[in-house]
mmCIF file of all heavy atoms in Angstrom:
data_model
loop_
_atom_site.group_PDB
_atom_site.id
_atom_site.type_symbol
_atom_site.label_atom_id
_atom_site.label_comp_id
_atom_site.label_asym_id
_atom_site.label_seq_id
_atom_site.Cartn_x
_atom_site.Cartn_y
_atom_site.Cartn_z
ATOM 1 N N GLU Z 193 68.418 105.924 162.796
ATOM 2 C CA GLU Z 193 67.500 106.691 163.744
ATOM 3 C C GLU Z 193 67.423 106.046 165.061
ATOM 4 O O GLU Z 193 67.820 104.826 165.248
ATOM 5 C CB GLU Z 193 66.170 106.740 163.133
ATOM 6 C CG GLU Z 193 65.965 107.600 161.839
ATOM 7 C CD GLU Z 193 64.516 107.731 161.386
ATOM 8 O OE1 GLU Z 193 63.904 106.705 161.289
ATOM 9 O OE2 GLU Z 193 64.177 108.844 161.002
ATOM 10 N N PHE Z 194 66.951 106.853 165.988
ATOM 11 C CA PHE Z 194 66.835 106.316 167.405
ATOM 12 C C PHE Z 194 65.332 106.418 167.881
ATOM 13 O O PHE Z 194 64.616 107.271 167.372
ATOM 14 C CB PHE Z 194 67.678 107.194 168.350
ATOM 15 C CG PHE Z 194 69.205 107.213 167.918
ATOM 16 C CD1 PHE Z 194 69.546 108.197 167.072
ATOM 17 C CD2 PHE Z 194 70.058 106.468 168.468
ATOM 18 C CE1 PHE Z 194 70.944 108.325 166.606
ATOM 19 C CE2 PHE Z 194 71.424 106.470 168.016
ATOM 20 C CZ PHE Z 194 71.878 107.378 167.156
ATOM 21 N N SER Z 195 65.071 105.640 168.817
ATOM 22 C CA SER Z 195 63.735 105.750 169.500
ATOM 23 C C SER Z 195 63.969 105.272 170.984
ATOM 24 O O SER Z 195 64.461 104.022 171.166
ATOM 25 C CB SER Z 195 62.706 104.859 168.762
ATOM 26 O OG SER Z 195 61.612 104.845 169.661
ATOM 27 N N PHE Z 196 63.694 106.169 171.846
ATOM 28 C CA PHE Z 196 63.957 105.675 173.272
ATOM 29 C C PHE Z 196 62.618 105.793 174.064
ATOM 30 O O PHE Z 196 62.554 105.389 175.225
ATOM 31 C CB PHE Z 196 64.925 106.652 173.930
ATOM 32 C CG PHE Z 196 66.271 106.568 173.379
ATOM 33 C CD1 PHE Z 196 66.801 107.538 172.568
ATOM 34 C CD2 PHE Z 196 67.003 105.345 173.603
ATOM 35 C CE1 PHE Z 196 68.065 107.504 171.997
ATOM 36 C CE2 PHE Z 196 68.291 105.293 172.997
ATOM 37 C CZ PHE Z 196 68.882 106.375 172.273
ATOM 38 N N SER Z 197 61.496 106.130 173.407
ATOM 39 C CA SER Z 197 60.267 106.171 174.257
ATOM 40 C C SER Z 197 59.789 104.782 174.585
ATOM 41 O O SER Z 197 59.303 104.617 175.686
ATOM 42 C CB SER Z 197 59.232 107.001 173.272
ATOM 43 O OG SER Z 197 57.928 106.751 173.644
ATOM 44 N N GLY Z 198 59.862 103.889 173.728
ATOM 45 C CA GLY Z 198 59.384 102.439 173.970
ATOM 46 C C GLY Z 198 60.255 101.869 175.213
ATOM 47 O O GLY Z 198 59.631 101.093 176.053
ATOM 48 N N LEU Z 199 61.504 102.336 175.182
ATOM 49 C CA LEU Z 199 62.389 101.727 176.294
ATOM 50 C C LEU Z 199 61.852 102.340 177.614
ATOM 51 O O LEU Z 199 61.751 101.672 178.618
ATOM 52 C CB LEU Z 199 63.811 102.273 176.042
ATOM 53 C CG LEU Z 199 64.795 102.002 177.130
ATOM 54 C CD1 LEU Z 199 64.959 100.578 177.520
ATOM 55 C CD2 LEU Z 199 66.269 102.446 176.572
ATOM 56 N N LYS Z 200 61.553 103.734 177.698
ATOM 57 C CA LYS Z 200 61.048 104.224 178.933
ATOM 58 C C LYS Z 200 59.730 103.758 179.320
ATOM 59 O O LYS Z 200 59.699 103.456 180.515
ATOM 60 C CB LYS Z 200 60.929 105.789 178.531
ATOM 61 C CG LYS Z 200 60.192 106.753 179.449
ATOM 62 C CD LYS Z 200 59.727 108.006 178.861
ATOM 63 C CE LYS Z 200 58.572 107.745 177.905
ATOM 64 N NZ LYS Z 200 58.234 108.911 176.961
ATOM 65 N N THR Z 201 58.884 103.539 178.404
ATOM 66 C CA THR Z 201 57.689 102.825 178.672
ATOM 67 C C THR Z 201 57.909 101.447 179.205
ATOM 68 O O THR Z 201 57.204 100.892 180.229
ATOM 69 C CB THR Z 201 56.795 102.657 177.515
ATOM 70 O OG1 THR Z 201 56.628 104.112 176.893
ATOM 71 C CG2 THR Z 201 55.321 102.285 177.943
ATOM 72 N N ALA Z 202 58.808 100.692 178.726
ATOM 73 C CA ALA Z 202 59.106 99.335 179.268
ATOM 74 C C ALA Z 202 59.567 99.329 180.707
ATOM 75 O O ALA Z 202 59.262 98.556 181.530
ATOM 76 C CB ALA Z 202 60.111 98.681 178.469
ATOM 77 N N VAL Z 203 60.356 100.426 181.102
ATOM 78 C CA VAL Z 203 60.809 100.481 182.509
ATOM 79 C C VAL Z 203 59.525 100.842 183.281
ATOM 80 O O VAL Z 203 59.311 100.164 184.295
ATOM 81 C CB VAL Z 203 61.880 101.593 182.600
ATOM 82 C CG1 VAL Z 203 62.245 101.877 184.006
ATOM 83 C CG2 VAL Z 203 63.087 101.251 181.752
ATOM 84 N N LEU Z 204 58.717 101.769 182.745
ATOM 85 C CA LEU Z 204 57.531 102.099 183.676
ATOM 86 C C LEU Z 204 56.628 100.961 183.837
ATOM 87 O O LEU Z 204 56.141 100.646 184.816
ATOM 88 C CB LEU Z 204 56.796 103.243 182.827
ATOM 89 C CG LEU Z 204 55.481 103.640 183.582
ATOM 90 C CD1 LEU Z 204 55.723 104.311 184.831
ATOM 91 C CD2 LEU Z 204 54.766 104.659 182.675
ATOM 92 N N TYR Z 205 56.468 100.202 182.794
ATOM 93 C CA TYR Z 205 55.606 98.900 182.912
ATOM 94 C C TYR Z 205 56.094 97.843 183.923
ATOM 95 O O TYR Z 205 55.485 97.150 184.614
ATOM 96 C CB TYR Z 205 55.358 98.283 181.497
ATOM 97 C CG TYR Z 205 54.380 98.945 180.682
ATOM 98 C CD1 TYR Z 205 54.100 98.462 179.407
ATOM 99 C CD2 TYR Z 205 53.781 100.044 181.062
ATOM 100 C CE1 TYR Z 205 53.260 99.099 178.524
ATOM 101 C CE2 TYR Z 205 52.798 100.775 180.234
ATOM 102 C CZ TYR Z 205 52.505 100.261 179.102
ATOM 103 O OH TYR Z 205 51.726 100.969 178.085
ATOM 104 N N GLU Z 206 57.461 97.755 183.883
ATOM 105 C CA GLU Z 206 58.110 96.897 184.799
ATOM 106 C C GLU Z 206 57.963 97.358 186.234
ATOM 107 O O GLU Z 206 57.662 96.484 187.071
ATOM 108 C CB GLU Z 206 59.706 96.889 184.476
ATOM 109 C CG GLU Z 206 60.606 96.170 185.574
ATOM 110 C CD GLU Z 206 60.013 94.772 186.020
ATOM 111 O OE1 GLU Z 206 59.664 93.986 185.091
ATOM 112 O OE2 GLU Z 206 59.946 94.417 187.168
ATOM 113 N N VAL Z 207 57.960 98.620 186.483
ATOM 114 C CA VAL Z 207 57.812 99.111 187.824
ATOM 115 C C VAL Z 207 56.419 99.279 188.252
ATOM 116 O O VAL Z 207 55.951 98.921 189.309
ATOM 117 C CB VAL Z 207 58.511 100.616 187.906
ATOM 118 C CG1 VAL Z 207 58.197 101.202 189.282
ATOM 119 C CG2 VAL Z 207 59.961 100.505 187.664
ATOM 120 N N ALA Z 208 55.408 99.634 187.333
ATOM 121 C CA ALA Z 208 54.126 100.009 187.771
ATOM 122 C C ALA Z 208 53.054 99.093 187.098
ATOM 123 O O ALA Z 208 51.864 99.210 187.408
ATOM 124 C CB ALA Z 208 53.875 101.490 187.288
ATOM 125 N N GLY Z 209 53.483 98.026 186.426
ATOM 126 C CA GLY Z 209 52.578 97.132 185.789
ATOM 127 C C GLY Z 209 51.880 97.738 184.545
ATOM 128 O O GLY Z 209 52.105 98.777 184.309
ATOM 129 N N THR Z 210 51.161 96.903 183.788
ATOM 130 C CA THR Z 210 50.429 97.225 182.646
ATOM 131 C C THR Z 210 48.943 97.066 182.722
ATOM 132 O O THR Z 210 48.620 95.828 183.080
ATOM 133 C CB THR Z 210 50.936 96.275 181.360
ATOM 134 O OG1 THR Z 210 52.289 95.979 181.548
ATOM 135 C CG2 THR Z 210 50.699 96.967 180.097
#
Side-chain angles (χ1 to χ4, degrees):
E193 286 187 318
F194 304 86
S195 166
F196 295 108
S197 159
L199 170 59
K200 169 194 68 190
T201 307
V203 177
L204 177 66
Y205 284 178
E206 168 51 43
V207 174
T210 324

